[in-house]
Amino acid sequence: MEMSIRTERIELFKGADRFANRSHRHGHWYQVTVPVQGTCHFTMENKPYRLHEGQSLIQHPGTEHHFCLDAASSVIVIKIREDALRPENDAGGLPEFADRQRIDTGELSRLFRRWTSELMFGDSFEPLAAQETETQVLHYLRKTLNGSHPVGDGIGGMVRDTHIHQVLEYMHANYAEAVSVDDLASLARQSRFHFIRSFRDCTGVTPYQYLLMLRVDQAKQRLKSSTASVADISCSLGFSCTSQFHRAFLKFAGMTPGEFRRS
């Protein structure tokens, strides 16, 4: 059994129940292979791997590989076009992720269902809808995968523009405060219009989306480590109301804050 959905910059694939493919390589795509149930027998550059649930393997562009599944096993594959992982104006090298990764299969499975549902049943006639889903997938991978990145400290993924990097440092320090586009544009020494465009070129998301991602990531930590109420966490992170917090959390985490805490 298999299903596959492809956009301009990503491909989402799921195979199950003794699925197998032939040896092949992707010239300009990264591939993230994650068994979510059972065992996946993977071969990469003639080296065999026996992958169990959550033991992910990364294939860099040009890497020869193939795999087969045991009965009652399933695997999620995410392919990302290499230029989607760096800004268009970045002339530097591509990121080098560690081959082996550990992935939370519960979180990935929930997100995969949401991504594929949005692409299959959402506003497919609207390009912005597909681009929004692409952005969610890329953000998840940049946050989750381990390896070398052009910018350290986890700030900004692969941003090399020093002014945008300064903006990101400011946002990481002040994400719970009221942040205006004009203030951020001033930090970047750009006009408001040019700043929004260059910020998205560098990060793949708008300044507002990035701010929401920071708040949701911090909310996850507080939901895990404290007994504070959802309303208190929402207020402390700068959300205007609890319903806005719920919408943002559901969008970026794939579940409600209450469901996340219980899981």
Side-chain angles (χ1 to χ4, degrees), residues 165-216:
H165 194 284
Q166 186 176 1
V167 169
L168 293 174
E169 288 181 328
Y170 177 85
M171 294 178 74
H172 276 252
N174 299 279
Y175 56 82
E177 308 298 327
V179 178
S180 74
V181 172
D182 290 335
D183 288 342
L184 298 180
S186 178
L187 279 173
R189 301 180 185 178
Q190 297 174 356
S191 69
R192 180 173 181 167
F193 174 79
H194 184 65
F195 165 69
I196 293 174
R197 181 175 179 178
S198 59
F199 188 96
R200 183 158 193 147
D201 286 344
C202 287
T203 66
V205 294
T206 66
Y208 180 62
Q209 288 173 324
Y210 194 89
L211 183 69
L212 289 181
M213 289 175 182
L214 290 178
R215 291 176 175 176
V216 169

Side-chain angles (χ1 to χ4, degrees), residues 240-252 257:
S240 60
C241 59
T242 305
S243 61
Q244 184 203 20
F245 174 52
H246 273 261
R247 289 194 301 272
F249 198 95
L250 182 62
K251 178 178 180 178
F252 293 112

Side-chain angles (χ1 to χ4, degrees), residues 4-13 28-29 77-84 114-121 123-124 126-138:
S4 178
I5 302 176
R6 183 166 180 169
T7 69
E8 183 180 355
R9 300 195 299 171
I10 65 170
E11 181 176 346
L12 304 176
F13 172 90
H28 300 285
W29 294 72
V77 172
I78 303 175
K79 291 199 297 186
I80 321 98
R81 206 175 68 192
E82 61 182 13
D83 58 1
R114 191 183 78 192
W115 296 332
T116 53
S117 178
E118 289 175 354
L119 291 173
M120 287 190 296
F121 306 115
D123 297 328
S124 57
E126 175 55 69
L128 287 178
Q131 291 167 3
E132 179 71 20
T133 303
E134 289 178 345
T135 296
Q136 294 172 24
V137 175
L138 292 170

Side-chain angles (χ1 to χ4, degrees), residues 142-173:
R142 286 168 175 160
K143 177 185 69 173
T144 303
L145 299 182
N146 297 314
S148 64
H149 300 268
V151 175
D153 300 327
I155 296 176
M158 284 163 280
V159 174
R160 296 191 177 190
D161 185 305
T162 56
H163 292 142
I164 297 298
H165 194 284
Q166 186 176 1
V167 169
L168 293 174
E169 288 181 328
Y170 177 85
M171 294 178 74
H172 276 252

Side-chain angles (χ1 to χ4, degrees), residues 15-176:
D17 299 329
R18 298 190 182 279
F19 173 85
N21 59 11
R22 295 182 178 182
S23 184
H24 62 286
R25 62 181 79 221
H26 309 295
H28 300 285
W29 294 72
Y30 286 87
Q31 177 170 312
V32 184
T33 306
V34 188
V36 292
Q37 184 178 0
T39 303
C40 174
H41 302 275
F42 203 96
T43 301
M44 185 167 70
E45 297 292 3
N46 296 319
K47 183 178 180 180
Y49 297 84
R50 185 181 176 90
L51 304 177
H52 300 287
E53 183 176 328
Q55 296 178 336
S56 174
L57 203 61
I58 306 297
Q59 293 77 61
H60 288 73
T63 302
E64 186 174 4
H65 61 278
H66 66 277
F67 68 88
C68 63
L69 301 174
D70 286 346
S73 296
S74 60
V75 65
I76 287 176
V77 172
I78 303 175
K79 291 199 297 186
I80 321 98
R81 206 175 68 192
E82 61 182 13
D83 58 1
L85 289 174
R86 63 181 178 189
E88 292 180 2
N89 59 350
D90 184 355
L94 292 167
E96 286 292 331
F97 297 111
D99 286 344
R100 287 185 174 272
Q101 306 278 339
R102 185 71 192 179
I103 302 292
D104 182 335
T105 56
E107 179 186 26
L108 176 60
S109 295
R110 287 189 294 270
L111 291 173
F112 185 87
R113 287 194 294 270
R114 191 183 78 192
W115 296 332
T116 53
S117 178
E118 289 175 354
L119 291 173
M120 287 190 296
F121 306 115
D123 297 328
S124 57
F125 59 87
E126 175 55 69
L128 287 178
Q131 291 167 3
E132 179 71 20
T133 303
E134 289 178 345
T135 296
Q136 294 172 24
V137 175
L138 292 170
H139 172 70
Y140 167 79
L141 294 174
R142 286 168 175 160
K143 177 185 69 173
T144 303
L145 299 182
N146 297 314
S148 64
H149 300 268
V151 175
D153 300 327
I155 296 176
M158 284 163 280
V159 174
R160 296 191 177 190
D161 185 305
T162 56
H163 292 142
I164 297 298
H165 194 284
Q166 186 176 1
V167 169
L168 293 174
E169 288 181 328
Y170 177 85
M171 294 178 74
H172 276 252
N174 299 279
Y175 56 82

